[in-house]
């Protein structure tokens, strides 16, 4: 095994030399494979077989205590800007009763850390806090250390206390022993215990505290090493030459057009993948611009104005009947009132502030990739497939890059670097241009959503019918499959196809991607596990082919579905002249979701009345408030959001003035971090609904920079934020990163309706669309 400086440093910190590690005496396990270990361990199933379950069960796979008493912990969940590095460090410090600064966390390195799949879906907290992973490993270590101390000191375990890496007798504190004296520099040689008791929240001294973000001072002072700052001896620099239009194929390339340029090293061509390698970054940029390549045009793109009609008219590649009570048509026919509406949502992009970057060193039959990927092990598998190498000969080291929360250019640039490095046999660094980042990333899904809601004579919803159409390219989000991102596709790998299948009723309710509204009962297989009271329910989702690469963008599909569900809920309440909060509570059966709605409304000083607000003029600036809520599917939390807006009815411009959130994610590991997630999610959701949309002409994507892709500009008026955090310590921890962003669009749209009486059913809410909706009131 070839060790990087990071690996050698980690071994030294844990109290091991490289020599003893290779002899098998070290705590770190070389045998982490691309595969996974399975169910309830949080280690994802990979394409190259299954890792020996004993590896993940070994305590030494997760923790080491060095000769100096410092703790080294290993995690497969990466810091992407969401604060997970800090809270995982807090978790280990808490369970082992040591000071925070004595814990060193190593993340997402395929030579050092467990395979925990992809850091996505807000699953890092439930994975490492609830399941048999990092938290349980730390609890196991603590109990093991107490047992060792009891034997060494001749004191029963119940008579011992722990304090900052020291175990002492309660009655005779002078009788003590340190962690380092017990196990420093040696293995535990234990399996992670399912029965090891976690420290109760009532005793927390590190967890649950608003500890500042680890690494933030280094970021603020320019000392933090992002992937962009990685330099390897002998490193060259590359650039890619993407096709000029979507679907174009390479017809020819003239190497003589660049071979005489300063610093030129090599032209790399693999099917439709084209790249150049030079001595310096600017030389590579110049060579990419100067390269003469000819391309065969691809088929014309569908007109953007016809996007939503085409989604409906295409033959679906997959139909999913998420839930079906079997009586929706009959119940709707018997309803006193049936309301219908259609909601539209565009393709959107991650639009990372910094472009993606990676460094690869492929030589002597081995590959090392420094990557900002959210999925170290799946990316290792993808690189191995791309390069035709054995997976165990590929080493992926996560280095933080630009924030994305999904599949921006991080994976594709890692593949770019690997291909270029393999071609020259030396390390290659590549940083994408702004255009290549934005035009060729995996876009968030566009959607058409039809809603039909039946109401009885007493004003109660009795049936909810939802049918959606969404374009996708590739079966999985892209992680670990080269053909699901542009580099692998150009190099000859096909996107993973969907297995077409007919729509069939599920055997149990599965609110995948929050396709079903929060107000349905979710009854299937004899049980009801939805959050609502509506028992006549049907959700049919069609997936159709996309001309663009698609993939997860923060709250993938959940945001789009919830925008339609929560807007429709408001439409029904307005039709019945019911208060939006009271009407939601009437149709909720889950007390945790009801509690966050009440908390947000109470904190916001909610004015209980129907919408729209009476007495607002039809010109000038008006004000309104709206609410939305969600029980985010999977191991995620409950959230409600109140938005207050100003609408200039003359210009159509919307200004969000205040957000108030209520959130329940179980026990709160770091309230400051949770507020950061709430505020960041609300801002990103606001940006997406007020301005963001991918644009294209008949050949190519035209939203290729900040002038043509309209995210929130610098210098905007930032809303006031308030958060009501419901800290429940008697339930498992859930994810928080994708809850509030999911409901921001609907909360803003509902607030605009309250202010103006105009319903916005198509995102983004541009001034032109607002003025059109106002004119149609």
């Amino acid at each position: 095994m070839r060790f990087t400086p990071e690996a050698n440093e980690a071994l030294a910190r844990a109290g091991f030399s490289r020599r003893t590690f290779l002899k098998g005496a070290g705590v770190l396990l070389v045998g982490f494979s691309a595969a996974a270990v399975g169910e309830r361990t949080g280690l994802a199933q990979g394409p190259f077989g299954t890792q020996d379950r004993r590896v993940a069960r070994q305590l030494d796979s997760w923790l080491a205590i060095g000769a100096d008493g410092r703790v080294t912990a290993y995690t497969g969940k990466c810091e992407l800007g969401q604060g997970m590095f800090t809270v995982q460090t807090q978790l280990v410090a808490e369970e082992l009763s040591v000071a925070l600064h004595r814990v060193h966390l190593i993340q997402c390195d395929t030579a050092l850390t467990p395979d925990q799949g992809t850091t996505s879906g807000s699953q890092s907290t439930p994975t490492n806090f609830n399941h048999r992973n990092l938290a349980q490993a730390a609890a196991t270590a603590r109990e093991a250390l107490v047992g060792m101390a009891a034997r060494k000191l001749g004191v029963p375990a119940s008579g011992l206390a722990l304090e900052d890496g020291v175990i002492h007798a309660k009655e005779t504190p002078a009788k003590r022993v340190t962690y380092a004296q017990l196990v420093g520099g040696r293995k535990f040689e234990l399996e992670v215990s399912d029965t090891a008791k976690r420290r109760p929240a009532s005793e927390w001294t590190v967890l649950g505290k608003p500890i500042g973000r680890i690494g933030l001072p280094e970021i603020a002072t320019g000392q933090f090493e992002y992937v962009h700052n990685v330099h390897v001896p002998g490193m060259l620099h590359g650039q890619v030459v993407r096709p000029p239009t979507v679907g174009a194929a390479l017809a020819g390339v003239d190497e003589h057009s660049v071979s005489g340029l300063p610093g030129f090293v090599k032209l790399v061509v693999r099917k439709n993948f084209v790249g150049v390698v030079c001595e310096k970054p600017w030389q590579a940029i110049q060579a990419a611009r100067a390269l003469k390549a000819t391309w065969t045009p691809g088929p014309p793109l569908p007109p953007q104005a016809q996007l939503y009609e085409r989604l409906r008219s295409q033959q679906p590649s997959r139909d999913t009947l998420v839930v079906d009570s079997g009586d929706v048509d009959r119940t709707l026919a018997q309803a006193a009132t049936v309301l219908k509406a259609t909601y539209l949502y565009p393709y959107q992009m991650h639009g990372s502030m910094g472009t993606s970057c990676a460094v690869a060193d492929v030589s002597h039959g081995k590959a090392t990739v420094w990557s900002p990927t959210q999925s170290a092990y799946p990316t290792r598998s993808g690189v191995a497939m791309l390069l035709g190498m054995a997976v165990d000969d590929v080493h992926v080291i996560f280095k933080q890059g630009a924030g994305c929360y999904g599949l921006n250019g991080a994976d594709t640039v890692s593949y770019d670097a690997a291909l270029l490095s393999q071609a020259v046999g030396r390390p290659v660094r590549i940083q994408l241009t702004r255009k290549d980042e934005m035009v060729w990333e995996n876009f968030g899904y566009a959607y058409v959503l039809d809603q039909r809601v039946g109401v009885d004579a007493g004003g109660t919803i009795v049936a909810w019918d939802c049918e959606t159409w969404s374009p996708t390219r590739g079966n999985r989000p892209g992680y670990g499959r080269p053909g699901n991102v542009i580099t692998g596709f150009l190099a000859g790998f096909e996107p993973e196809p969907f297995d077409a299948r007919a729509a069939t009723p599920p055997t149990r309710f599965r609110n995948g991607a929050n396709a079903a509204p929060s107000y349905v009962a979710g009854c299937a297989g004899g049980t009801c596990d939805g959050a609502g009271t509506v028992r006549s329910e049907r959700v049919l989702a069609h997936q159709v082919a996309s001309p663009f690469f698609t993939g997860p963008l923060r709250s993938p599909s959940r945001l789009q579905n919830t925008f339609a569900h929560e807007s429709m809920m408001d439409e029904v309440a307005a039709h019945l002249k019911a208060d939006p909060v009271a009407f939601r509570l009437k149709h909720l059966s889950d007390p945790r979701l009801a509690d966050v709605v009440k908390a947000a409304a109470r904190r916001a000083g909610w004015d209980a009345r129907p919408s729209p607000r009476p007495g607002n003029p039809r010109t000038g600036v008006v004000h309104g408030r709206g609410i939305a809520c969600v029980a985010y599917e999977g191991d995620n939390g409950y959230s409600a959001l109140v938005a207050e807006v100003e609408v200039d009815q003359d210009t159509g411009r919307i200004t969000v003035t205040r957000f108030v959130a209520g959130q329940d994610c179980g026990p709160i590991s770091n309230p400051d971090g949770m507020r950061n997630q709430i505020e960041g999610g609300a801002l990103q959701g606001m940006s997406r609904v007020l301005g963001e949309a991918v644009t294209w002409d008949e050949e190519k994507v035209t939203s290729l920079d900040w002038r043509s892709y309209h995210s929130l500009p610098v210098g905007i008026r930032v809303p006031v934020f308030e958060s009501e955090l419901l800290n429940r310590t008697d339930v498992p921890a859930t994810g928080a990163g994708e809850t509030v962003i999911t409901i921001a669009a609907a909360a803003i749209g509902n607030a605009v309706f309250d202010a103006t009486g105009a319903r916005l059913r198509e995102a983004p809410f541009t001034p032109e669309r607002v003025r059109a909706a106002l004119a149609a009131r």
Side-chain angles (χ1 to χ4, degrees):
M1 166 172 279
R2 178 175 55 184
F3 282 79
T4 63
E6 291 92 341
N8 286 321
E9 179 185 355
L11 290 169
R13 186 178 288 108
F16 302 100
S17 70
R18 181 176 182 276
R19 180 183 298 273
T20 57
F21 174 71
L22 289 172
K23 286 181 177 178
V27 65
L28 305 176
L29 295 180
V30 184
F32 286 125
S33 76
V37 191
E39 219 177 347
R40 302 293 296 174
T41 68
L43 303 184
Q45 180 65 42
F48 291 95
T50 303
Q51 176 184 329
D52 188 336
R53 287 178 180 270
R54 291 172 298 178
V55 172
R57 294 170 66 93
Q58 291 300 312
L59 176 56
D60 298 313
S61 300
W62 300 95
L63 293 166
I65 295 177
D68 60 357
R70 292 190 65 190
V71 177
T72 300
Y74 311 98
T75 178
K77 295 300 184 181
C78 317
E79 173 61 51
L80 308 170
Q82 82 281 40
M84 275 310 301
F85 190 90
T86 300
V87 297
Q88 290 180 104
T89 304
Q90 287 179 259
L91 171 65
V92 174
E94 183 64 59
E95 291 296 341
L96 285 175
S97 298
V98 298
L100 191 72
H101 72 270
R102 296 185 62 189
V103 177
H104 176 68
L105 186 68
I106 298 174
Q107 58 178 341
C108 303
D109 183 324
T110 61
L112 301 174
T113 62
D115 177 0
Q116 293 189 279
T118 299
T119 304
S120 64
S122 296
Q123 292 302 292
S124 297
T125 291
T127 295
N128 271 340
F129 282 65
N130 299 337
H131 301 158
R132 190 177 179 173
N133 290 326
L134 190 59
Q136 204 61 30
T140 300
R142 186 188 68 250
E143 289 194 354
L145 289 163
V146 169
M148 295 177 196
R151 292 188 291 273
K152 186 175 185 69
L153 300 177
V155 177
S158 59
L160 297 174
L162 293 80
E163 184 177 353
D164 197 16
V166 177
I167 303 175
H168 64 82
K170 294 177 182 177
E171 295 185 358
T172 54
K175 192 178 271 191
R176 58 177 52 209
V177 64
T178 68
Y179 290 176
Q181 290 170 329
L182 291 171
V183 75
R186 298 185 300 278
K187 284 186 174 184
F188 279 98
E189 300 281 9
L190 296 171
E191 286 194 357
V192 176
S193 169
D194 286 337
T195 60
K197 292 183 179 179
R198 301 278 303 282
R199 285 175 57 83
S202 59
E203 297 179 8
W204 284 356
T205 61
V206 183
L207 269 179
K209 308 304 177 186
I211 291 171
R213 183 77 60 88
I214 294 173
L216 190 58
E218 289 79 8
I219 292 173
T221 56
Q223 300 177 71
F224 187 84
E225 186 182 66
Y226 287 96
V227 67
H228 303 71
N229 308 120
V230 171
H231 288 272
V232 179
M235 186 173 73
L236 300 171
H237 297 268
Q239 278 294 309
V240 290
V241 180
R242 301 296 194 214
T245 60
V246 174
L250 185 65
V253 61
D254 179 10
E255 184 169 357
H256 294 295
S257 62
V258 294
S259 59
L261 294 179
F264 176 78
V265 175
K266 191 177 182 64
L267 170 67
V268 181
V269 178
R270 180 166 167 181
K271 199 174 181 182
N272 292 313
F273 173 85
V274 181
V276 294
V277 181
C278 296
E279 294 287 346
K280 298 179 179 179
W282 180 241
Q283 293 169 343
I285 293 171
Q286 294 291 83
R289 291 175 179 174
L291 182 68
K292 292 180 180 179
T294 55
W295 302 82
T296 302
L301 293 173
Q304 183 154 10
Q306 299 175 15
L307 168 65
Y308 301 116
E309 291 83 353
R310 286 182 61 87
L311 294 184
R312 286 182 185 275
S313 64
Q314 283 181 255
Q315 177 66 36
S317 58
R318 181 174 182 174
D319 294 325
T320 303
L321 197 57
V322 179
V323 64
D324 184 10
S325 59
D327 62 348
V328 169
D329 292 328
R330 182 175 67 253
T331 307
L332 286 172
Q334 296 170 352
T337 305
V338 176
L339 285 82
K340 302 177 183 180
T342 295
Y343 298 87
L344 308 174
Y345 205 91
Y347 286 106
Q348 293 180 328
M349 66 176 64
H350 299 80
S352 300
M353 187 67 72
T355 59
S356 297
C357 177
V359 177
D361 183 5
V362 184
S363 58
H364 308 295
K366 305 287 185 181
T368 300
V369 183
W370 291 263
S371 170
T373 180
Q374 295 181 205
S375 51
Y377 276 89
T379 295
R380 183 175 82 155
S381 300
V383 169
M385 294 172 67
L386 189 71
L387 302 183
M389 299 177 65
V391 69
D392 288 333
D393 289 332
V394 179
H395 179 195
V396 173
I397 303 166
F398 170 78
K399 299 295 290 186
Q400 194 170 336
C404 63
Y405 296 103
L407 193 64
N408 65 346
D411 286 22
T412 200
V413 78
S414 302
Y415 293 160
D416 290 334
L419 284 173
L420 296 179
S421 179
Q422 185 182 48
V424 297
R426 289 174 60 184
V428 174
R429 175 189 183 272
I430 176 170
Q431 181 172 349
L432 297 179
T433 65
R434 171 56 52 193
K435 177 182 177 181
D436 287 341
E437 174 79 29
M438 299 180 84
V439 169
W440 295 105
E441 69 151 78
N442 292 62
F443 299 139
Y445 312 110
Y447 260 85
V448 174
L449 307 104
D450 283 351
Q451 303 272 20
R452 292 194 301 162
V453 175
V455 182
D456 68 14
T460 298
I461 297 175
V462 293
W464 198 307
D465 188 25
C466 176
E467 187 171 7
T468 70
W469 293 261
S470 180
T472 61
R473 185 168 185 176
N475 190 1
R476 298 185 183 180
Y479 306 116
R481 297 283 178 170
N484 285 354
V485 296
I486 183 61
T487 302
F489 177 73
L490 293 175
F493 290 82
E494 289 296 319
E496 185 179 8
F498 273 112
D499 296 325
R501 57 186 175 87
T504 55
T507 56
R508 62 185 179 86
F509 178 65
R510 181 179 56 82
N511 189 5
N514 281 98
S518 296
Y519 309 100
V520 301
C523 298
T527 61
C528 298
D529 57 3
T533 61
V534 182
R535 298 179 71 90
S536 183
E537 51 194 334
R538 180 172 60 203
V539 176
L540 176 59
H542 308 285
Q543 290 174 324
V544 301
S546 170
F548 309 117
F549 286 91
T550 59
L553 169 59
R554 195 176 187 183
S555 189
S557 296
R558 288 85 170 168
L559 187 158
Q560 297 91 325
N561 280 303
T562 304
F563 164 56
H565 299 327
E566 286 298 299
S567 297
M568 189 66 190
M569 191 65 175
D570 240 50
E571 293 208 45
V572 179
H575 177 81
L576 298 172
K577 295 181 171 52
D579 171 65
V581 167
F583 193 64
R584 281 171 168 78
L585 294 174
K586 177 182 178 180
H587 292 89
L588 290 176
S589 61
D590 191 316
R592 294 178 70 180
L593 185 54
D595 284 349
V596 295
V597 171
K598 294 173 186 176
R602 182 173 57 251
R603 180 69 176 263
W606 182 263
D607 178 16
R609 55 167 174 78
S611 290
R613 171 178 282 180
N616 269 0
R618 295 174 72 86
T619 59
V621 177
V622 288
H623 300 80
R625 87 291 187 260
I627 191 169
C629 67
V630 70
Y632 197 100
E633 55 95 8
D635 290 332
N636 282 292
Y638 303 80
S639 192
L641 184 68
V642 174
E644 296 180 1
V645 302
E646 293 177 357
V647 183
D648 187 327
Q649 298 180 97
D650 300 325
T651 66
R653 190 164 301 281
I654 300 168
T655 301
V656 182
T657 59
R658 185 186 183 209
F659 279 127
V660 181
Q663 182 139 302
D664 171 7
C665 290
I668 300 172
S669 55
N670 186 319
D672 182 58
M674 182 172 286
R675 288 191 176 91
N676 289 341
Q677 287 296 289
I678 289 171
E679 295 175 12
L683 279 176
Q684 190 176 7
M686 183 175 82
S687 177
R688 289 172 67 176
V689 78
L690 293 186
E692 296 188 34
V694 174
T695 58
W696 64 91
D697 59 22
E698 66 277 5
E699 293 183 327
K700 61 189 179 301
V701 173
T702 56
S703 46
L704 47 81
D705 55 26
W706 300 122
R707 290 168 294 190
S708 50
Y709 188 77
H710 305 294
S711 61
L712 287 182
V714 175
I716 65 157
R717 177 180 170 187
V718 177
V720 173
F721 284 96
E722 298 175 45
S723 301
E724 193 74 18
L725 307 183
L726 281 64
N727 187 22
R728 299 186 188 273
T729 59
D730 58 340
V731 295
T734 61
E738 295 184 313
T739 49
V740 169
I741 190 175
T742 304
I743 49 181
I748 293 169
N750 294 339
V752 171
F753 176 79
D754 184 62
T756 67
R759 176 61 61 182
L760 298 172
R761 298 189 181 94
E762 180 176 358
F765 302 160
T766 61
E768 294 76 17
R769 289 200 178 109
V770 173
R771 290 198 301 269
L774 292 172
R777 284 180 293 193

